[in-house]
mmCIF file of all heavy atoms in Angstrom:
data_model
loop_
_atom_site.group_PDB
_atom_site.id
_atom_site.type_symbol
_atom_site.label_atom_id
_atom_site.label_comp_id
_atom_site.label_asym_id
_atom_site.label_seq_id
_atom_site.Cartn_x
_atom_site.Cartn_y
_atom_site.Cartn_z
ATOM 1 N N ALA A 1 90.716 142.210 -103.499
ATOM 2 C CA ALA A 1 92.102 142.581 -103.205
ATOM 3 C C ALA A 1 92.814 141.497 -102.405
ATOM 4 O O ALA A 1 94.045 141.514 -102.291
ATOM 5 C CB ALA A 1 92.145 143.897 -102.451
ATOM 6 N N ARG A 2 92.061 140.551 -101.844
ATOM 7 C CA ARG A 2 92.652 139.488 -101.031
ATOM 8 C C ARG A 2 92.865 138.188 -101.807
ATOM 9 O O ARG A 2 93.165 137.155 -101.205
ATOM 10 C CB ARG A 2 91.772 139.215 -99.817
ATOM 11 C CG ARG A 2 91.635 140.425 -98.892
ATOM 12 C CD ARG A 2 90.882 140.079 -97.618
ATOM 13 N NE ARG A 2 90.738 141.227 -96.752
ATOM 14 C CZ ARG A 2 90.989 141.222 -95.439
ATOM 15 N NH1 ARG A 2 91.404 140.103 -94.857
ATOM 16 N NH2 ARG A 2 90.817 142.312 -94.724
ATOM 17 N N ILE A 3 92.689 138.230 -103.108
ATOM 18 C CA ILE A 3 92.926 137.038 -103.915
ATOM 19 C C ILE A 3 94.376 136.585 -103.729
ATOM 20 O O ILE A 3 95.320 137.346 -103.915
ATOM 21 C CB ILE A 3 92.641 137.316 -105.407
ATOM 22 C CG1 ILE A 3 91.144 137.566 -105.603
ATOM 23 C CG2 ILE A 3 93.104 136.150 -106.272
ATOM 24 C CD1 ILE A 3 90.772 137.957 -107.020
ATOM 25 N N GLY A 4 94.532 135.344 -103.343
ATOM 26 C CA GLY A 4 95.863 134.795 -103.093
ATOM 27 C C GLY A 4 96.306 134.944 -101.649
ATOM 28 O O GLY A 4 97.304 134.340 -101.243
ATOM 29 N N GLY A 5 95.594 135.742 -100.873
ATOM 30 C CA GLY A 5 95.952 135.936 -99.463
ATOM 31 C C GLY A 5 94.748 136.409 -98.673
ATOM 32 O O GLY A 5 94.606 137.600 -98.393
ATOM 33 N N LEU A 6 93.861 135.479 -98.325
ATOM 34 C CA LEU A 6 92.602 135.858 -97.690
ATOM 35 C C LEU A 6 92.807 136.481 -96.313
ATOM 36 O O LEU A 6 92.182 137.487 -95.972
ATOM 37 C CB LEU A 6 91.687 134.632 -97.574
ATOM 38 C CG LEU A 6 90.274 134.898 -97.072
ATOM 39 C CD1 LEU A 6 89.546 135.873 -97.985
ATOM 40 C CD2 LEU A 6 89.484 133.593 -96.948
ATOM 41 N N ARG A 7 93.697 135.895 -95.489
ATOM 42 C CA ARG A 7 93.881 136.381 -94.119
ATOM 43 C C ARG A 7 95.070 137.319 -93.968
ATOM 44 O O ARG A 7 95.084 138.194 -93.100
ATOM 45 C CB ARG A 7 94.043 135.187 -93.170
ATOM 46 C CG ARG A 7 92.786 134.327 -93.078
ATOM 47 C CD ARG A 7 92.892 133.323 -91.960
ATOM 48 N NE ARG A 7 91.664 132.553 -91.816
ATOM 49 C CZ ARG A 7 91.456 131.652 -90.865
ATOM 50 N NH1 ARG A 7 92.420 131.407 -89.966
ATOM 51 N NH2 ARG A 7 90.312 130.996 -90.797
ATOM 52 N N LYS A 8 96.088 137.139 -94.786
ATOM 53 C CA LYS A 8 97.237 138.038 -94.756
ATOM 54 C C LYS A 8 97.776 138.198 -96.167
ATOM 55 O O LYS A 8 97.567 137.319 -97.017
ATOM 56 C CB LYS A 8 98.325 137.518 -93.804
ATOM 57 C CG LYS A 8 98.918 136.180 -94.188
ATOM 58 C CD LYS A 8 99.977 135.774 -93.170
ATOM 59 C CE LYS A 8 100.630 134.447 -93.576
ATOM 60 N NZ LYS A 8 101.678 134.048 -92.605
ATOM 61 N N PRO A 9 98.459 139.275 -96.446
ATOM 62 C CA PRO A 9 98.886 139.554 -97.822
ATOM 63 C C PRO A 9 99.839 138.494 -98.369
ATOM 64 O O PRO A 9 100.811 138.105 -97.699
ATOM 65 C CB PRO A 9 99.600 140.902 -97.701
ATOM 66 C CG PRO A 9 99.105 141.496 -96.429
ATOM 67 C CD PRO A 9 98.837 140.353 -95.513
ATOM 68 N N ALA A 10 99.552 138.032 -99.569
ATOM 69 C CA ALA A 10 100.480 137.115 -100.233
ATOM 70 C C ALA A 10 101.716 137.864 -100.711
ATOM 71 O O ALA A 10 102.819 137.324 -100.729
ATOM 72 C CB ALA A 10 99.777 136.441 -101.411
ATOM 73 N N GLN A 11 101.514 139.134 -101.103
ATOM 74 C CA GLN A 11 102.612 140.003 -101.540
ATOM 75 C C GLN A 11 102.932 140.959 -100.398
ATOM 76 O O GLN A 11 102.104 141.789 -100.034
ATOM 77 C CB GLN A 11 102.195 140.762 -102.798
ATOM 78 C CG GLN A 11 103.136 141.868 -103.245
ATOM 79 C CD GLN A 11 104.513 141.370 -103.613
ATOM 80 O OE1 GLN A 11 105.428 141.391 -102.779
ATOM 81 N NE2 GLN A 11 104.658 140.919 -104.841
ATOM 82 N N GLN A 12 104.111 140.861 -99.828
ATOM 83 C CA GLN A 12 104.452 141.676 -98.666
ATOM 84 C C GLN A 12 105.034 143.035 -99.022
ATOM 85 O O GLN A 12 105.220 143.874 -98.141
ATOM 86 C CB GLN A 12 105.434 140.922 -97.758
ATOM 87 C CG GLN A 12 104.824 139.718 -97.065
ATOM 88 C CD GLN A 12 105.692 139.199 -95.932
ATOM 89 O OE1 GLN A 12 106.875 139.532 -95.830
ATOM 90 N NE2 GLN A 12 105.114 138.373 -95.086
ATOM 91 N N ILE A 13 105.341 143.252 -100.290
ATOM 92 C CA ILE A 13 105.853 144.551 -100.732
ATOM 93 C C ILE A 13 104.906 145.098 -101.790
ATOM 94 O O ILE A 13 104.734 144.498 -102.849
ATOM 95 C CB ILE A 13 107.284 144.441 -101.301
ATOM 96 C CG1 ILE A 13 108.228 143.823 -100.275
ATOM 97 C CG2 ILE A 13 107.790 145.813 -101.727
ATOM 98 C CD1 ILE A 13 109.634 143.589 -100.797
ATOM 99 N N LEU A 14 104.272 146.207 -101.506
ATOM 100 C CA LEU A 14 103.377 146.845 -102.457
ATOM 101 C C LEU A 14 104.183 147.600 -103.520
ATOM 102 O O LEU A 14 105.398 147.689 -103.452
ATOM 103 C CB LEU A 14 102.441 147.802 -101.730
ATOM 104 C CG LEU A 14 101.468 147.176 -100.722
ATOM 105 C CD1 LEU A 14 100.783 148.265 -99.902
ATOM 106 C CD2 LEU A 14 100.442 146.317 -101.435
ATOM 107 N N GLY A 15 103.472 148.186 -104.476
ATOM 108 C CA GLY A 15 104.121 148.994 -105.503
ATOM 109 C C GLY A 15 104.194 148.280 -106.831
ATOM 110 O O GLY A 15 104.996 147.362 -106.986
ATOM 111 N N SER A 16 103.382 148.710 -107.806
ATOM 112 C CA SER A 16 103.342 148.018 -109.096
ATOM 113 C C SER A 16 104.085 148.749 -110.196
ATOM 114 O O SER A 16 104.557 148.133 -111.145
ATOM 115 C CB SER A 16 101.889 147.806 -109.524
ATOM 116 O OG SER A 16 101.233 149.049 -109.695
ATOM 117 N N ASP A 17 104.179 150.080 -110.086
ATOM 118 C CA ASP A 17 104.788 150.876 -111.155
ATOM 119 C C ASP A 17 106.203 151.276 -110.780
ATOM 120 O O ASP A 17 106.413 151.926 -109.748
ATOM 121 C CB ASP A 17 103.988 152.160 -111.382
ATOM 122 C CG ASP A 17 102.602 151.905 -111.937
ATOM 123 O OD1 ASP A 17 102.238 150.737 -112.104
ATOM 124 O OD2 ASP A 17 101.881 152.887 -112.198
ATOM 125 N N ILE A 18 107.158 150.919 -111.606
ATOM 126 C CA ILE A 18 108.552 151.247 -111.299
ATOM 127 C C ILE A 18 109.256 151.854 -112.503
ATOM 128 O O ILE A 18 108.853 151.671 -113.651
ATOM 129 C CB ILE A 18 109.351 150.005 -110.846
ATOM 130 C CG1 ILE A 18 109.390 148.956 -111.972
ATOM 131 C CG2 ILE A 18 108.778 149.417 -109.571
ATOM 132 C CD1 ILE A 18 110.559 148.002 -111.901
ATOM 133 N N ALA A 19 110.344 152.550 -112.204
ATOM 134 C CA ALA A 19 111.301 152.984 -113.221
ATOM 135 C C ALA A 19 112.673 152.885 -112.587
ATOM 136 O O ALA A 19 112.851 153.225 -111.413
ATOM 137 C CB ALA A 19 111.014 154.412 -113.668
ATOM 138 N N GLY A 20 113.632 152.374 -113.347
ATOM 139 C CA GLY A 20 114.959 152.212 -112.770
ATOM 140 C C GLY A 20 115.968 151.735 -113.790
ATOM 141 O O GLY A 20 115.736 151.780 -115.002
ATOM 142 N N ARG A 21 117.078 151.271 -113.266
ATOM 143 C CA ARG A 21 118.196 150.856 -114.115
ATOM 144 C C ARG A 21 118.489 149.372 -113.885
ATOM 145 O O ARG A 21 118.566 148.917 -112.739
ATOM 146 C CB ARG A 21 119.425 151.706 -113.788
ATOM 147 C CG ARG A 21 120.592 151.547 -114.752
ATOM 148 C CD ARG A 21 121.694 152.544 -114.445
ATOM 149 N NE ARG A 21 121.298 153.911 -114.797
ATOM 150 C CZ ARG A 21 120.974 154.848 -113.905
ATOM 151 N NH1 ARG A 21 120.985 154.576 -112.604
ATOM 152 N NH2 ARG A 21 120.631 156.053 -114.297
ATOM 153 N N ILE A 22 118.646 148.627 -114.964
ATOM 154 C CA ILE A 22 118.902 147.192 -114.852
ATOM 155 C C ILE A 22 120.313 146.960 -114.320
ATOM 156 O O ILE A 22 121.293 147.499 -114.847
ATOM 157 C CB ILE A 22 118.731 146.489 -116.209
ATOM 158 C CG1 ILE A 22 117.261 146.551 -116.647
ATOM 159 C CG2 ILE A 22 119.194 145.030 -116.136
ATOM 160 C CD1 ILE A 22 117.006 145.950 -118.011
ATOM 161 N N GLU A 23 120.387 146.136 -113.274
ATOM 162 C CA GLU A 23 121.680 145.797 -112.689
ATOM 163 C C GLU A 23 122.213 144.470 -113.214
ATOM 164 O O GLU A 23 123.417 144.301 -113.419
ATOM 165 C CB GLU A 23 121.568 145.749 -111.165
ATOM 166 C CG GLU A 23 122.905 145.533 -110.475
ATOM 167 C CD GLU A 23 122.845 145.856 -108.995
ATOM 168 O OE1 GLU A 23 122.798 147.047 -108.641
ATOM 169 O OE2 GLU A 23 122.856 144.897 -108.197
ATOM 170 N N SER A 24 121.335 143.505 -113.447
ATOM 171 C CA SER A 24 121.745 142.220 -114.008
ATOM 172 C C SER A 24 120.558 141.576 -114.701
ATOM 173 O O SER A 24 119.403 141.948 -114.454
ATOM 174 C CB SER A 24 122.284 141.292 -112.917
ATOM 175 O OG SER A 24 121.281 140.986 -111.961
ATOM 176 N N ALA A 25 120.843 140.606 -115.573
ATOM 177 C CA ALA A 25 119.789 139.961 -116.350
ATOM 178 C C ALA A 25 119.947 138.452 -116.325
ATOM 179 O O ALA A 25 121.076 137.925 -116.304
ATOM 180 C CB ALA A 25 119.813 140.464 -117.793
ATOM 181 N N GLY A 26 118.812 137.731 -116.326
ATOM 182 C CA GLY A 26 118.829 136.281 -116.396
ATOM 183 C C GLY A 26 119.323 135.801 -117.747
ATOM 184 O O GLY A 26 119.311 136.548 -118.727
ATOM 185 N N ARG A 27 119.715 134.542 -117.801
ATOM 186 C CA ARG A 27 120.362 134.034 -119.020
ATOM 187 C C ARG A 27 119.423 133.926 -120.218
ATOM 188 O O ARG A 27 119.874 133.862 -121.363
ATOM 189 C CB ARG A 27 120.979 132.670 -118.736
ATOM 190 C CG ARG A 27 120.005 131.592 -118.314
ATOM 191 C CD ARG A 27 120.747 130.321 -117.954
ATOM 192 N NE ARG A 27 119.834 129.257 -117.547
ATOM 193 C CZ ARG A 27 120.242 128.052 -117.143
ATOM 194 N NH1 ARG A 27 121.554 127.793 -117.071
ATOM 195 N NH2 ARG A 27 119.362 127.129 -116.804
ATOM 196 N N SER A 28 118.090 133.932 -119.992
ATOM 197 C CA SER A 28 117.143 133.852 -121.103
ATOM 198 C C SER A 28 116.717 135.222 -121.622
ATOM 199 O O SER A 28 115.987 135.309 -122.609
ATOM 200 C CB SER A 28 115.903 133.063 -120.678
ATOM 201 O OG SER A 28 116.251 131.740 -120.309
ATOM 202 N N VAL A 29 117.161 136.269 -120.969
ATOM 203 C CA VAL A 29 116.774 137.620 -121.373
ATOM 204 C C VAL A 29 117.515 138.006 -122.653
ATOM 205 O O VAL A 29 118.741 137.892 -122.726
ATOM 206 C CB VAL A 29 117.078 138.627 -120.240
ATOM 207 C CG1 VAL A 29 116.841 140.056 -120.713
ATOM 208 C CG2 VAL A 29 116.219 138.317 -119.018
ATOM 209 N N LYS A 30 116.769 138.471 -123.657
ATOM 210 C CA LYS A 30 117.359 138.777 -124.955
ATOM 211 C C LYS A 30 117.360 140.266 -125.293
ATOM 212 O O LYS A 30 118.300 140.778 -125.891
ATOM 213 C CB LYS A 30 116.585 138.034 -126.067
ATOM 214 C CG LYS A 30 116.485 136.531 -125.884
ATOM 215 C CD LYS A 30 117.856 135.867 -125.917
ATOM 216 C CE LYS A 30 117.715 134.345 -125.829
ATOM 217 N NZ LYS A 30 119.044 133.679 -125.770
#
């Protein structure tokens, strides 16, 4: 679980599963 952050979390915000509404999209999004 510490891959990428041995001493402290590399990802500071947990939560992998989401559902929501798109507010904006990058220019390569099709």
Side-chain angles (χ1 to χ4, degrees):
R2 298 186 181 227
I3 293 175
L6 187 59
R7 295 190 177 184
K8 62 180 182 179
Q11 170 62 265
Q12 291 194 344
I13 303 176
L14 296 170
S16 62
D17 293 3
I18 62 156
R21 190 173 289 106
I22 294 177
E23 185 165 286
S24 63
R27 61 185 180 182
S28 299
V29 173
K30 305 297 184 184

